[in-house]
Amino acid sequence: MRLDKIIPTLLVTLLPITGLVAQQPTQDPATEARIDALLSKMTVEEKVGQMAQYTLDVFGKGNDVYTSTEPFELDPVMLEKGFKKYRIGSVLNTANNRARTPEVWQQVISEIQAYALKYTGIPVLYGIDSNKGTTYTDGGTFFPAEIGMGATFNAPLVEQGAAVSAYETRASNIPWSFCPTMDLGRDPRWSRLWESFGEDTYLNAVLGLATVRGFQGQDPAHIGPEHIAACVKHYLGYGVPHGGKDRTPAYIPESDLREKFFEPFRVAIKGGALSVMVNSGIINGVSSHADHRLITEWVKEDLDFDGVVVTDWADIRNLQTRDRLAEDYRSVIRMSINAGIDMVMEPYGFDFCDELVALVRDGEVSMDRIDDAVRRILRMKFRLGLFDQPSWDYASYTDFNSPRHEACAKQAADESITLLKNAEQILPLRKGVKILVTGPNANSMRPLNGGWAYSWQGEKVDEFAGKYDTFYEAIAKEFGSDNVTLAHGVEYKMDGQYYEELTPDFDAAVRAAKDVDVIIACLGENSYCETPGNLNELRLSDNQLELVKRLSQVGKPIILVLNEGRPRLIREIEPMVSAVLQTYLPGNYGGVSLADILSGDVNPSGRLPYTYPKYEQSLTTYDHKPAENIEGEMEGAYNYGATASVQYDFGFGLSYTTFSYSNLRVDKESFRSGDLIRVSVDVTNTGTVRGKESVLLFTSDLYASLTPDARRLRAFDKVDLKPGETKTVTMEVPADRLAYVDNHGKWILEEGRFKVQVGSEVGYITCAETRRWDTPNR
C-alpha cells in the first residue's frame, strides 16, 4: 500500500488554536426560582441527602455493600433505605467492577430514578469514569488514554472524541463523567500519568477545555440529550507526589501552584465545566479536602464558580484514617464541608448523613453552607435536564459505536502514536517482509487499553474486547499471516499484579528470530490504575530488557514498540534497536493503527507530551530552569556538571516525510499587557509523502526578576501537507500569556526581551512596560 494513503480521512476541520475563550454558564432566573422553591420545602435531612453519593454496589443484591450477585439486580430494601430514609442525591460507578451493556444501564438507572422521584421528588445525579470513551459500557467506543490524546496536539480531534464519549455515555443513561483529568503529568513515576495530557500547563489547558466543550456542548447552562456534565479533576497538584507514589504528599512552590498547576483548572472552569473533583492528597502539608483557601477562595470566589465541588473516593474518611486530622469521622466531615465540599463520594456508609445532620443541628456547619451546596447540586441537575427527563431510551442513540465513532477513535490512535527513532529509514516496512512479533504486549488487548477499561484495573479487557485486533493480529492481517510469527519470549502473569511476569522463554524467541527479516518487540506495561500501579523502579523489567539484548545478538533489525502508561527507561536497549514507536495506551484501535504505521498506510504524526527520561536520577521537564541545563563548564575549580540528559525531548516526534520552517513573522516588535501577538510561519512538506505536522510555538523570557523557565509552550496548531505543499500557520498569543507568578503568588509581566521559536525559526519581541496584577488571576 502507498505511503501517501492516509486513512481515515480527517473527520474534523483543523482550526487554529487562537485562545482560551471563556464560556462560563449564566444563571437562569426561572431555574433559580425553582431551586429556591425546592429549598424552602426541604428538611435538613433531605438537603444533606442531596450531598451524599454512594456506589452502585450498595444498592445491589448481595452479602454486603461491597459486592453484588451476578447477574446484577437492585435490592429494594437498600433502595428504600437510601432514598426513603436518607433521601440521597447521587449514585456512581458500576457494580462488581464490571462494564454493563446499554440495556442494563437503562434498566438499572431508570429503576433508581423511580425510587428517587418517589421519595424525594428530585432525580438522581449518576456519575461514572468515562475517561477514554465509555469506560464502563460494553460495546462502546474506546479512545486512547489522555496521554495519547495529548500526543496528537490536535484540539479539534480531542473535542470530537469527547463528544463521542459524551454521546455514548448519555446513551448509557449516565449524564455525568468524572473527566477530564487536568493534573500535570510531570513525574514519570506517578501511576496516573497516562490519565493526564502531559507535563505542560498550556497543553493541558487547551485539551482540557476541548474535552469540556466536547462533553458539554456549546451551552453549559443547558446540556442537551447528547452531552454530559464534565468534572475536572483532581484539584489541585495531584500529579507530582514527592515520593512518586499515588495519593502521597506534594510540595509545590506557591508560584508554580498558581501559574502551572491551577491554570488548566482555571481555564476549564471559566470555560464552563460544571463540576470539580478534589485531589486525594496533601499539598504543602494541607489536606486538599480540608483546604478552604483552594476550594472556596480560589475556585468559588475568585472564579465565580457556581457548579459542584465533589470529593474523590472515600476521601473524607481519609482525612481521619490516613491524614489523621481528627479522631472522629464527624470532625473531618465538618472540616471538609466548611472548606467548600458540596458532594461527598462516601461511598458506602450512611452514617455520613447522620453525622452531617447532627453537625447542622449543633451549629458546627451552618445552614447557609448546606443551602449553598444543595443549590449547586440542584442547579447542575436542572442544567442537565434531569427534572424534565431523568432517564432515556438507549435505542434512540443510533450512533452508539457507529462506524463514524470508530473512525474518530481510529484517527485518534493514528495521530497519537509517536515515532521516536527510525535509523536508516527502516520504517515503513516493505510488503513481503518476514516478521517476528515478540514481547509481553504483543497479543493482548489489555495493555493496549490500560486501566479504566471495562473494569478499574483493566483486567477484564480481553473478555470484552475480543473483536478488536491485538498488535500481533493486526500486523498479521496487514503483512500476511504466513509472513508473521508470534513468540512472546516474555509474558505477563495476567492473574497477578500488573508488574508480574511468567518465567521467560528467551530461547523460543531467539529461535524464531533466526527465520525472519525484522523483529517487532512489543514491550511496556500491563494494565494498572491508581495506587495499585505504583512502582519502585522506572526502568523496564529485567526480563523485557534481557529479551531485546538476546534478540540483538541474532543480527536482525529490531523495531521497539512501547505500549506503556508512563515512560519506562530504555537507555540500555535503545542503541540495539533500529526504530522506536511509542503507542502509549492507544485503545481498541491501537493494533490496527500500529500496523498501518508500520506499513506506511498512515504517516505517524504524534509528538511526545512529556519529557522521556534517560536516567531515574535525572528526571526533569522541558520548562526547567536554566540552572538545570548548564552548557559548558564553570571556570575555575568547580564544575557542577548539571547538564540534564534525557532520552527524548517534550514535543519530539518523527515522520516519514520531512518539514521545513521559514519566514517567521511577528506582527509587532514591541507589546504591552492586553495586546494580541500574532506569529506566522511558513511550513513546507519537503519530503515525498503526505504528512501532518504539529507546529509548536515556544517563548523564552530572556531575563526576569525570578529565574525564568528555559522555554514555554504558548500556542500550537496541526497542519496536513501534501508533498511540496507550503502552508502559512498563524498563531495568536495574548501578551498576558507571557506573564509569570512571582514568589508572592502575584502575576507580573515584566518589560524586556522574549525569544519566540517555531521549529527552526527564531525571532525576538520586547515587552515595553511592566504590569503587576493585584487580582488573583490575570
PDB file of all heavy atoms in Angstrom, residues 575-600:
ATOM      1  N   PRO A 575      20.142   1.708  21.960  1.00  0.00           N
ATOM      2  CA  PRO A 575      21.154   1.599  20.901  1.00  0.00           C
ATOM      3  C   PRO A 575      21.061   0.300  20.096  1.00  0.00           C
ATOM      4  O   PRO A 575      21.616   0.217  18.994  1.00  0.00           O
ATOM      5  CB  PRO A 575      22.480   1.668  21.680  1.00  0.00           C
ATOM      6  CG  PRO A 575      22.143   2.326  22.978  1.00  0.00           C
ATOM      7  CD  PRO A 575      20.769   1.857  23.300  1.00  0.00           C
ATOM      8  N   MET A 576      20.367  -0.711  20.630  1.00  0.00           N
ATOM      9  CA  MET A 576      20.290  -2.007  19.965  1.00  0.00           C
ATOM     10  C   MET A 576      19.148  -2.082  18.952  1.00  0.00           C
ATOM     11  O   MET A 576      19.075  -3.059  18.200  1.00  0.00           O
ATOM     12  CB  MET A 576      20.082  -3.118  21.008  1.00  0.00           C
ATOM     13  CG  MET A 576      21.153  -3.171  22.071  1.00  0.00           C
ATOM     14  SD  MET A 576      20.731  -4.384  23.354  1.00  0.00           S
ATOM     15  CE  MET A 576      22.065  -4.083  24.531  1.00  0.00           C
ATOM     16  N   VAL A 577      18.274  -1.069  18.939  1.00  0.00           N
ATOM     17  CA  VAL A 577      17.093  -1.142  18.076  1.00  0.00           C
ATOM     18  C   VAL A 577      17.203  -0.111  16.952  1.00  0.00           C
ATOM     19  O   VAL A 577      17.838   0.935  17.101  1.00  0.00           O
ATOM     20  CB  VAL A 577      15.792  -0.931  18.880  1.00  0.00           C
ATOM     21  CG1 VAL A 577      15.706  -1.947  20.007  1.00  0.00           C
ATOM     22  CG2 VAL A 577      15.687   0.479  19.421  1.00  0.00           C
ATOM     23  N   SER A 578      16.561  -0.427  15.841  1.00  0.00           N
ATOM     24  CA  SER A 578      16.613   0.456  14.677  1.00  0.00           C
ATOM     25  C   SER A 578      15.505   1.491  14.684  1.00  0.00           C
ATOM     26  O   SER A 578      15.644   2.556  14.070  1.00  0.00           O
ATOM     27  CB  SER A 578      16.514  -0.374  13.394  1.00  0.00           C
ATOM     28  OG  SER A 578      17.587  -1.279  13.293  1.00  0.00           O
ATOM     29  N   ALA A 579      14.408   1.194  15.335  1.00  0.00           N
ATOM     30  CA  ALA A 579      13.285   2.125  15.373  1.00  0.00           C
ATOM     31  C   ALA A 579      12.587   2.013  16.717  1.00  0.00           C
ATOM     32  O   ALA A 579      12.616   0.954  17.365  1.00  0.00           O
ATOM     33  CB  ALA A 579      12.302   1.842  14.239  1.00  0.00           C
ATOM     34  N   VAL A 580      11.971   3.113  17.131  1.00  0.00           N
ATOM     35  CA  VAL A 580      11.190   3.145  18.370  1.00  0.00           C
ATOM     36  C   VAL A 580       9.866   3.834  18.077  1.00  0.00           C
ATOM     37  O   VAL A 580       9.832   4.949  17.539  1.00  0.00           O
ATOM     38  CB  VAL A 580      11.919   3.903  19.496  1.00  0.00           C
ATOM     39  CG1 VAL A 580      11.059   3.909  20.767  1.00  0.00           C
ATOM     40  CG2 VAL A 580      13.286   3.287  19.787  1.00  0.00           C
ATOM     41  N   LEU A 581       8.777   3.166  18.432  1.00  0.00           N
ATOM     42  CA  LEU A 581       7.431   3.728  18.325  1.00  0.00           C
ATOM     43  C   LEU A 581       6.790   3.728  19.700  1.00  0.00           C
ATOM     44  O   LEU A 581       6.738   2.684  20.367  1.00  0.00           O
ATOM     45  CB  LEU A 581       6.575   2.909  17.356  1.00  0.00           C
ATOM     46  CG  LEU A 581       6.809   3.124  15.861  1.00  0.00           C
ATOM     47  CD1 LEU A 581       6.293   1.936  15.069  1.00  0.00           C
ATOM     48  CD2 LEU A 581       6.133   4.407  15.398  1.00  0.00           C
ATOM     49  N   GLN A 582       6.320   4.875  20.141  1.00  0.00           N
ATOM     50  CA  GLN A 582       5.589   4.975  21.406  1.00  0.00           C
ATOM     51  C   GLN A 582       4.100   4.987  21.093  1.00  0.00           C
ATOM     52  O   GLN A 582       3.601   5.895  20.422  1.00  0.00           O
ATOM     53  CB  GLN A 582       5.992   6.256  22.134  1.00  0.00           C
ATOM     54  CG  GLN A 582       5.175   6.591  23.372  1.00  0.00           C
ATOM     55  CD  GLN A 582       5.282   5.563  24.483  1.00  0.00           C
ATOM     56  OE1 GLN A 582       4.693   4.479  24.393  1.00  0.00           O
ATOM     57  NE2 GLN A 582       6.047   5.884  25.514  1.00  0.00           N
ATOM     58  N   THR A 583       3.391   3.960  21.565  1.00  0.00           N
ATOM     59  CA  THR A 583       1.940   3.886  21.320  1.00  0.00           C
ATOM     60  C   THR A 583       1.130   4.368  22.514  1.00  0.00           C
ATOM     61  O   THR A 583      -0.090   4.477  22.410  1.00  0.00           O
ATOM     62  CB  THR A 583       1.514   2.448  20.979  1.00  0.00           C
ATOM     63  OG1 THR A 583       1.645   1.614  22.136  1.00  0.00           O
ATOM     64  CG2 THR A 583       2.343   1.878  19.828  1.00  0.00           C
ATOM     65  N   TYR A 584       1.769   4.601  23.684  1.00  0.00           N
ATOM     66  CA  TYR A 584       1.073   4.969  24.908  1.00  0.00           C
ATOM     67  C   TYR A 584       0.049   3.870  25.239  1.00  0.00           C
ATOM     68  O   TYR A 584       0.396   2.695  25.238  1.00  0.00           O
ATOM     69  CB  TYR A 584       0.412   6.342  24.768  1.00  0.00           C
ATOM     70  CG  TYR A 584       1.325   7.392  24.196  1.00  0.00           C
ATOM     71  CD1 TYR A 584       1.309   7.715  22.823  1.00  0.00           C
ATOM     72  CD2 TYR A 584       2.240   8.070  25.010  1.00  0.00           C
ATOM     73  CE1 TYR A 584       2.167   8.683  22.298  1.00  0.00           C
ATOM     74  CE2 TYR A 584       3.108   9.029  24.478  1.00  0.00           C
ATOM     75  CZ  TYR A 584       3.054   9.328  23.124  1.00  0.00           C
ATOM     76  OH  TYR A 584       3.897  10.272  22.596  1.00  0.00           O
ATOM     77  N   LEU A 585      -1.198   4.267  25.505  1.00  0.00           N
ATOM     78  CA  LEU A 585      -2.311   3.309  25.684  1.00  0.00           C
ATOM     79  C   LEU A 585      -3.321   3.644  24.599  1.00  0.00           C
ATOM     80  O   LEU A 585      -4.230   4.454  24.798  1.00  0.00           O
ATOM     81  CB  LEU A 585      -2.930   3.445  27.080  1.00  0.00           C
ATOM     82  CG  LEU A 585      -1.973   3.296  28.263  1.00  0.00           C
ATOM     83  CD1 LEU A 585      -2.713   3.514  29.584  1.00  0.00           C
ATOM     84  CD2 LEU A 585      -1.296   1.934  28.250  1.00  0.00           C
ATOM     85  N   PRO A 586      -3.200   3.031  23.409  1.00  0.00           N
ATOM     86  CA  PRO A 586      -3.913   3.534  22.230  1.00  0.00           C
ATOM     87  C   PRO A 586      -5.362   3.117  22.114  1.00  0.00           C
ATOM     88  O   PRO A 586      -6.064   3.582  21.213  1.00  0.00           O
ATOM     89  CB  PRO A 586      -3.100   2.950  21.080  1.00  0.00           C
ATOM     90  CG  PRO A 586      -2.568   1.656  21.626  1.00  0.00           C
ATOM     91  CD  PRO A 586      -2.274   1.934  23.076  1.00  0.00           C
ATOM     92  N   GLY A 587      -5.830   2.204  22.982  1.00  0.00           N
ATOM     93  CA  GLY A 587      -7.221   1.792  22.918  1.00  0.00           C
ATOM     94  C   GLY A 587      -7.452   0.634  21.960  1.00  0.00           C
ATOM     95  O   GLY A 587      -6.513   0.019  21.447  1.00  0.00           O
ATOM     96  N   ASN A 588      -8.717   0.355  21.696  1.00  0.00           N
ATOM     97  CA  ASN A 588      -9.082  -0.822  20.914  1.00  0.00           C
ATOM     98  C   ASN A 588      -8.614  -0.770  19.469  1.00  0.00           C
ATOM     99  O   ASN A 588      -8.548  -1.805  18.805  1.00  0.00           O
ATOM    100  CB  ASN A 588     -10.597  -1.020  20.962  1.00  0.00           C
ATOM    101  CG  ASN A 588     -11.065  -1.643  22.265  1.00  0.00           C
ATOM    102  OD1 ASN A 588     -10.321  -2.394  22.899  1.00  0.00           O
ATOM    103  ND2 ASN A 588     -12.281  -1.330  22.673  1.00  0.00           N
ATOM    104  N   TYR A 589      -8.325   0.417  18.960  1.00  0.00           N
ATOM    105  CA  TYR A 589      -7.887   0.527  17.567  1.00  0.00           C
ATOM    106  C   TYR A 589      -6.376   0.689  17.463  1.00  0.00           C
ATOM    107  O   TYR A 589      -5.847   0.917  16.378  1.00  0.00           O
ATOM    108  CB  TYR A 589      -8.611   1.694  16.886  1.00  0.00           C
ATOM    109  CG  TYR A 589     -10.102   1.508  16.925  1.00  0.00           C
ATOM    110  CD1 TYR A 589     -10.866   2.087  17.938  1.00  0.00           C
ATOM    111  CD2 TYR A 589     -10.752   0.691  16.000  1.00  0.00           C
ATOM    112  CE1 TYR A 589     -12.231   1.874  18.012  1.00  0.00           C
ATOM    113  CE2 TYR A 589     -12.116   0.476  16.066  1.00  0.00           C
ATOM    114  CZ  TYR A 589     -12.853   1.072  17.077  1.00  0.00           C
ATOM    115  OH  TYR A 589     -14.205   0.836  17.150  1.00  0.00           O
ATOM    116  N   GLY A 590      -5.689   0.529  18.589  1.00  0.00           N
ATOM    117  CA  GLY A 590      -4.245   0.700  18.593  1.00  0.00           C
ATOM    118  C   GLY A 590      -3.507  -0.324  17.766  1.00  0.00           C
ATOM    119  O   GLY A 590      -2.483  -0.015  17.141  1.00  0.00           O
ATOM    120  N   GLY A 591      -4.003  -1.566  17.733  1.00  0.00           N
ATOM    121  CA  GLY A 591      -3.340  -2.594  16.936  1.00  0.00           C
ATOM    122  C   GLY A 591      -3.380  -2.270  15.459  1.00  0.00           C
ATOM    123  O   GLY A 591      -2.368  -2.360  14.752  1.00  0.00           O
ATOM    124  N   VAL A 592      -4.555  -1.876  14.967  1.00  0.00           N
ATOM    125  CA  VAL A 592      -4.699  -1.542  13.551  1.00  0.00           C
ATOM    126  C   VAL A 592      -3.893  -0.297  13.222  1.00  0.00           C
ATOM    127  O   VAL A 592      -3.248  -0.218  12.167  1.00  0.00           O
ATOM    128  CB  VAL A 592      -6.185  -1.349  13.195  1.00  0.00           C
ATOM    129  CG1 VAL A 592      -6.348  -0.957  11.730  1.00  0.00           C
ATOM    130  CG2 VAL A 592      -6.966  -2.621  13.485  1.00  0.00           C
ATOM    131  N   SER A 593      -3.893   0.691  14.106  1.00  0.00           N
ATOM    132  CA  SER A 593      -3.123   1.915  13.856  1.00  0.00           C
ATOM    133  C   SER A 593      -1.634   1.610  13.779  1.00  0.00           C
ATOM    134  O   SER A 593      -0.922   2.130  12.905  1.00  0.00           O
ATOM    135  CB  SER A 593      -3.399   2.945  14.955  1.00  0.00           C
ATOM    136  OG  SER A 593      -4.700   3.465  14.848  1.00  0.00           O
ATOM    137  N   LEU A 594      -1.144   0.766  14.680  1.00  0.00           N
ATOM    138  CA  LEU A 594       0.271   0.409  14.622  1.00  0.00           C
ATOM    139  C   LEU A 594       0.595  -0.286  13.312  1.00  0.00           C
ATOM    140  O   LEU A 594       1.607   0.042  12.654  1.00  0.00           O
ATOM    141  CB  LEU A 594       0.637  -0.496  15.801  1.00  0.00           C
ATOM    142  CG  LEU A 594       2.068  -1.044  15.762  1.00  0.00           C
ATOM    143  CD1 LEU A 594       3.092   0.079  15.924  1.00  0.00           C
ATOM    144  CD2 LEU A 594       2.274  -2.129  16.813  1.00  0.00           C
ATOM    145  N   ALA A 595      -0.233  -1.248  12.903  1.00  0.00           N
ATOM    146  CA  ALA A 595       0.018  -1.971  11.652  1.00  0.00           C
ATOM    147  C   ALA A 595       0.009  -1.022  10.461  1.00  0.00           C
ATOM    148  O   ALA A 595       0.850  -1.136   9.552  1.00  0.00           O
ATOM    149  CB  ALA A 595      -1.022  -3.073  11.471  1.00  0.00           C
ATOM    150  N   ASP A 596      -0.922  -0.060  10.457  1.00  0.00           N
ATOM    151  CA  ASP A 596      -0.982   0.906   9.360  1.00  0.00           C
ATOM    152  C   ASP A 596       0.256   1.794   9.319  1.00  0.00           C
ATOM    153  O   ASP A 596       0.723   2.184   8.245  1.00  0.00           O
ATOM    154  CB  ASP A 596      -2.236   1.773   9.490  1.00  0.00           C
ATOM    155  CG  ASP A 596      -3.502   1.037   9.081  1.00  0.00           C
ATOM    156  OD1 ASP A 596      -3.390  -0.027   8.441  1.00  0.00           O
ATOM    157  OD2 ASP A 596      -4.600   1.524   9.402  1.00  0.00           O
ATOM    158  N   ILE A 597       0.789   2.123  10.483  1.00  0.00           N
ATOM    159  CA  ILE A 597       2.012   2.931  10.523  1.00  0.00           C
ATOM    160  C   ILE A 597       3.212   2.105  10.090  1.00  0.00           C
ATOM    161  O   ILE A 597       4.077   2.575   9.334  1.00  0.00           O
ATOM    162  CB  ILE A 597       2.200   3.522  11.938  1.00  0.00           C
ATOM    163  CG1 ILE A 597       1.196   4.665  12.147  1.00  0.00           C
ATOM    164  CG2 ILE A 597       3.630   4.020  12.148  1.00  0.00           C
ATOM    165  CD1 ILE A 597       1.164   5.215  13.550  1.00  0.00           C
ATOM    166  N   LEU A 598       3.289   0.874  10.533  1.00  0.00           N
ATOM    167  CA  LEU A 598       4.407   0.017  10.133  1.00  0.00           C
ATOM    168  C   LEU A 598       4.437  -0.185   8.622  1.00  0.00           C
ATOM    169  O   LEU A 598       5.516  -0.262   8.014  1.00  0.00           O
ATOM    170  CB  LEU A 598       4.300  -1.335  10.834  1.00  0.00           C
ATOM    171  CG  LEU A 598       4.542  -1.347  12.347  1.00  0.00           C
ATOM    172  CD1 LEU A 598       4.196  -2.711  12.929  1.00  0.00           C
ATOM    173  CD2 LEU A 598       5.992  -0.984  12.683  1.00  0.00           C
ATOM    174  N   SER A 599       3.268  -0.262   7.999  1.00  0.00           N
ATOM    175  CA  SER A 599       3.205  -0.498   6.552  1.00  0.00           C
ATOM    176  C   SER A 599       3.281   0.791   5.745  1.00  0.00           C
ATOM    177  O   SER A 599       3.503   0.748   4.530  1.00  0.00           O
ATOM    178  CB  SER A 599       1.912  -1.232   6.195  1.00  0.00           C
ATOM    179  OG  SER A 599       0.789  -0.386   6.377  1.00  0.00           O
ATOM    180  N   GLY A 600       3.090   1.937   6.420  1.00  0.00           N
ATOM    181  CA  GLY A 600       3.095   3.203   5.705  1.00  0.00           C
ATOM    182  C   GLY A 600       1.732   3.669   5.261  1.00  0.00           C
ATOM    183  O   GLY A 600       1.614   4.710   4.622  1.00  0.00           O
TER     184      GLY A 600
END
